[in-house]
């Protein structure tokens, strides 16, 4: 994999990382609320976590928009579908292969080509 392809893959994985951050923040907020402590310190912690959560949700929407726009610029529909399923639906090659009625090796090949044809537009 070339350095350019690595950067594209990392860019596409930023969605999954943001998803994980959002889930972690939601869990932290639940834990703070479930602690049943009404001190101003806990209230501030919850408010700060909620503000951070909102920022991450906005970041997620921006990332999704950029990724979808870039995916739609890929010429081949099967390449678009593989990238969409792998990075937005967060599916494994095995799951994608089953859904698209391809072998895993075909999915890997399509993925490689899709990454080459993917253009980051920041």
């Amino acid at each position: 994999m070339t350095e350019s392809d690595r950067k594209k893959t990392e860019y596409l994985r930023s969605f999954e990382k943001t998803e994980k951050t959002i889930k972690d923040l939601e869990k932290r907020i639940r834990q703070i609320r479930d602690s049943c402590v009404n001190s101003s310190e806990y209230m501030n912690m919850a408010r700060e976590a909620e503000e951070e959560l909102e920022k991450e949700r906005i970041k997620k929407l921006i990332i999704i928009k950029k990724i979808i726009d870039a995916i739609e610029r890929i010429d081949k529909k099967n390449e678009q579908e593989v990238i969409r399923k792998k990075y937005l639906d967060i599916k494994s090659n095995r799951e994608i292969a089953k859904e698209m009625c391809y072998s895993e090796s075909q999915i890997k090949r399509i993925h490689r080509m899709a990454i080459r044809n993917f253009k980051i537009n920041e």
Side-chain angles (χ1 to χ4, degrees):
M1 184 180 283
T2 67
E3 183 60 28
S4 173
D5 290 351
R6 262 191 283 287
K7 286 180 182 178
K8 292 174 189 179
T9 302
E10 186 177 313
Y11 176 79
L12 286 161
R13 286 198 174 120
S14 67
F15 172 77
E16 186 175 358
K17 290 176 186 174
T18 302
E19 274 287 283
K20 183 182 179 332
T21 301
I22 288 170
K23 287 179 183 168
D24 291 346
L25 285 166
E26 289 170 340
K27 182 179 176 183
R28 190 167 83 198
I29 291 167
R30 277 193 306 277
Q31 290 171 337
I32 292 168
R33 288 187 179 145
D34 291 348
S35 69
C36 296
V37 177
N38 287 325
S39 74
S40 61
E41 181 181 344
Y42 278 94
M43 300 289 266
N44 285 336
M45 286 173 58
R47 187 172 46 252
E48 288 171 7
E50 287 168 350
E51 288 170 3
E52 191 176 342
L53 177 61
E54 186 60 26
K55 288 177 187 174
E56 287 297 318
R57 286 180 173 155
I58 291 168
K59 179 180 171 182
K60 175 184 167 182
L61 292 174
I62 292 167
I63 290 169
I64 288 172
K65 170 91 172 83
K66 287 180 177 182
I67 290 174
I68 289 172
D69 288 347
I71 288 171
E72 289 174 351
R73 287 191 301 274
I74 297 173
D75 290 334
K76 294 185 179 178
K77 296 294 179 197
N78 64 344
E79 291 178 10
Q80 288 180 6
E81 190 172 356
V82 168
I83 294 292
R84 187 175 287 111
K85 288 178 181 294
K86 187 164 187 76
Y87 296 104
L88 295 180
D89 298 343
I90 311 172
K91 294 187 176 187
S92 68
N93 288 340
R94 176 173 284 153
E95 292 170 311
I96 298 167
K98 186 175 181 181
E99 288 178 17
M100 293 179 69
C101 298
Y102 288 127
S103 68
E104 281 186 66
S105 61
Q106 286 174 302
I107 293 301
K108 289 176 185 178
R109 183 187 52 76
I110 293 168
H111 177 261
R112 256 191 325 275
M113 294 306 298
I115 290 295
R116 285 186 193 137
N117 294 324
F118 185 85
K119 305 286 186 255
I120 299 174
N121 193 19
E122 295 192 45

